[in-house]
Amino acid sequence: MLEDLDIKQIRGRMLYDSGGNPAVEAEVILENGAHGKAAVSVFGEIDGEEEADVINEWLSEAILFEDASDQENIDRLLIQQLEKNGRGRAGVLALSMAAARAAGAGLGLPLYRYLGGTSAPAMPIPVMSMIDGGDCVKGIDFKEIMIVPMKRSSFAEGLRMGAEIYQTLKRLLSINGFDTSVGESGGFAADMKSSEESLHYIMDAVRLSGYDPNCDVSAAIYGNADNLYIKEDGIYRFDKESLKNGIPVHRDQKDMISYYLRLADGFPLGIVMNGLYKNDPADRNRMYQMLKHRLLMVSDDFFASNGVEIQLKKAGTVTGALNMVSEAKKMGSKVIFSNSDKETEEVFLGDMAVALGADYIKCGGPCRGEYTAKYNELLRIEEFYGQSH
């Protein structure tokens, strides 16, 4: 046990996330003077002040004077306290992340090196939101339509390609009379008739930016199908598409699979995330068997997929995320680290994606500080190591 890495002091404080909602920050200070901070949006459990109080009054008791470098033990103690008291989920994640950052600082290591070991970092491919929808008042019914820069020699080049296409798309939408305000994921919340129309505009922006959509860039869809599915009727209801086209657009399970097939035939679609209702295993497996050789089918529950989405808030702790990555790699699945619906400027996601060799990172559009902070952190990491692949 490294005595100077023992946790000496813990602080919790309320902050605000990108939507002006409460967030909580945990700060961990070690015996050797090293400290680490991490911020997490509060997930609607309690308000930010109460979440900070939970850190100061309940969770701190669980790990005070423990060795910060023993991440598995730290996280086990935090989870035990969470189960005992029934509150503090955001505080647990914030403390787990802060302890990892403090331990790395105590050993003189940047976070990605502390979590990933001595091997050269592997840079993930950015997956960037272009058109937003979902719960937004405007936009399309799918949560996001994104681009994936495939033909690139480095993370920096891929990010530059995505940013160029994003700015071209903004001008293209503006010229054609669309609103270019952005949604929760940083993509444009343009009121388009359908996802097909969105993909047409995105591919036009790719071409106008000087890239070939058939080899340089692929598209990705975040369906967030649970929000579209009406269980009582057994249909996916596309309310925005219905309103804009003047006719009800309802798709059953077979229609949805056919819809994704049509999109894959018409566009360079490479990834579909959460494409069908989660509690419909038969159709999820049917869609997977039909499309697995053409698309990366991504879920967060490991079922009927060849790609796994990992969100820190769903993993719950750093150890939880480590275990999810380990399980995904054992299955031969691609790993996508993904931002949460509500974000802060916290860059932990980027460091962890590099440390664990994630294949992709989905941080939102190349705009707004909560998203660009993560992208910029990845640029710094790549620059430091001169990593190029």
Side-chain angles (χ1 to χ4, degrees):
M1 181 174 176
L2 300 171
E3 298 292 343
D4 58 353
L5 294 182
D6 287 355
I7 296 173
K8 180 178 71 173
Q9 189 175 356
I10 292 171
R11 298 171 183 156
R13 59 179 65 91
M14 177 182 167
L15 300 178
Y16 290 91
D17 68 16
S18 59
N21 303 302
V24 66
E25 182 176 69
E27 184 170 7
V28 171
I29 302 171
L30 307 185
E31 287 286 352
N32 67 2
H35 75 280
K37 294 186 292 187
V40 174
S41 179
V42 175
F43 309 137
E45 299 174 275
I46 54 179
D47 67 38
E49 291 287 358
E50 286 184 73
E51 193 81 4
D53 289 341
V54 168
I55 291 176
N56 292 323
E57 297 173 9
W58 292 90
L59 296 176
S60 62
E61 295 179 3
I63 61 172
L64 203 59
F65 310 121
E66 296 290 336
D67 178 7
S69 67
D70 189 349
Q71 188 72 46
E72 188 171 347
N73 180 56
I74 293 291
D75 291 344
R76 179 180 57 81
L77 292 171
L78 288 171
I79 292 295
Q80 285 178 353
Q81 198 77 332
L82 174 63
E83 292 173 346
K84 178 181 176 182
N85 297 295
R87 55 181 180 155
R89 187 162 61 101
V92 165
L93 178 56
L95 268 177
S96 176
M97 293 159 59
R101 186 168 273 142
L107 294 170
L109 297 171
L111 179 60
Y112 59 88
R113 178 61 69 216
Y114 171 70
L115 293 173
T118 57
S119 59
M123 302 303 296
I125 300 171
V127 180
M128 290 172 276
S129 181
M130 295 285 121
I131 300 289
D132 269 14
D135 294 333
C136 297
V137 175
K138 298 180 180 179
I140 58 175
D141 290 285
F142 283 144
K143 184 173 175 58
E144 296 173 69
I145 296 183
M146 304 160 285
I147 61 165
V148 187
M150 301 304 296
K151 193 176 180 181
R152 83 278 178 270
S153 60
S154 64
F155 177 83
E157 184 181 1
L159 184 61
R160 177 180 56 77
M161 290 171 63
E164 288 174 357
I165 294 166
Y166 184 86
Q167 294 299 332
T168 301
L169 178 61
K170 182 177 181 178
R171 291 191 291 272
L172 190 60
L173 293 176
S174 181
I175 289 170
N176 284 274
F178 289 103
D179 184 1
T180 55
S181 60
V182 298
E184 286 188 349
S185 298
F188 300 111
D191 272 331
M192 296 189 169
K193 292 181 180 178
S194 65
S195 297
E196 290 98 319
E197 185 178 23
S198 299
L199 283 162
H200 276 298
Y201 272 98
I202 292 169
M203 292 305 115
D204 285 345
V206 170
R207 295 184 190 93
L208 289 169
S209 299
Y211 301 110
D212 185 346
N214 294 310
C215 60
D216 294 333
V217 175
S218 66
I221 291 174
Y222 196 101
N224 203 25
D226 285 3
N227 282 16
L228 299 175
Y229 191 68
I230 308 301
K231 186 175 181 180
E232 302 76 39
D233 301 325
I235 60 168
Y236 296 86
R237 198 166 66 192
F238 285 68
D239 289 338
K240 295 176 182 178
E241 192 173 336
S242 299
L243 181 63
K244 292 159 193 167
N245 289 279
I247 57 172
V249 180
H250 300 157
R251 296 180 171 99
D252 63 20
Q253 287 86 339
K254 290 182 180 178
D255 292 334
M256 280 295 286
I257 296 173
S258 297
Y259 188 43
Y260 286 120
L261 277 168
R262 188 166 79 246
L263 293 176
D265 288 339
F267 302 94
L269 185 62
I271 300 174
V272 171
M273 304 178 70
N274 297 325
L276 292 179
Y277 177 53
K278 186 172 289 186
N279 294 325
D280 180 13
D283 284 297
R284 285 180 63 190
N285 189 58
R286 185 177 296 112
M287 179 172 162
Y288 173 65
Q289 295 303 326
M290 292 175 67
L291 292 172
K292 65 180 179 180
H293 299 298
R294 299 179 60 183
L295 303 175
L296 191 63
M297 307 293 295
V298 181
S299 72
D300 60 4
D301 62 1
F302 296 87
F303 178 74
S305 63
N306 49 9
V308 176
E309 179 192 15
I310 297 175
Q311 291 188 17
L312 290 174
K313 76 169 187 180
K314 291 183 179 178
T317 63
V318 171
T319 300
L322 291 169
N323 291 339
M324 288 183 72
V325 171
S326 177
E327 185 176 351
K329 290 187 174 181
K330 285 178 184 176
M331 295 172 58
S333 296
K334 298 291 186 181
V335 173
I336 299 182
F337 269 86
S338 176
N339 59 290
S340 304
D341 291 336
K342 300 290 188 293
E343 278 290 337
T344 69
E345 299 91 345
E346 176 60 62
V347 300
F348 197 99
L349 187 76
D351 285 85
M352 200 166 199
V354 171
L356 302 183
D359 300 281
Y360 301 90
I361 185 165
K362 173 185 169 297
C363 289
C367 77
R368 293 177 44 158
E370 68 272 24
Y371 304 132
T372 58
K374 298 169 181 61
Y375 289 134
N376 290 337
E377 177 71 1
L378 288 162
L379 289 175
R380 295 183 192 103
I381 293 171
E382 184 173 65
E383 179 187 85
F384 183 78
Y385 280 92
Q387 178 77 357
S388 180
H389 67 109

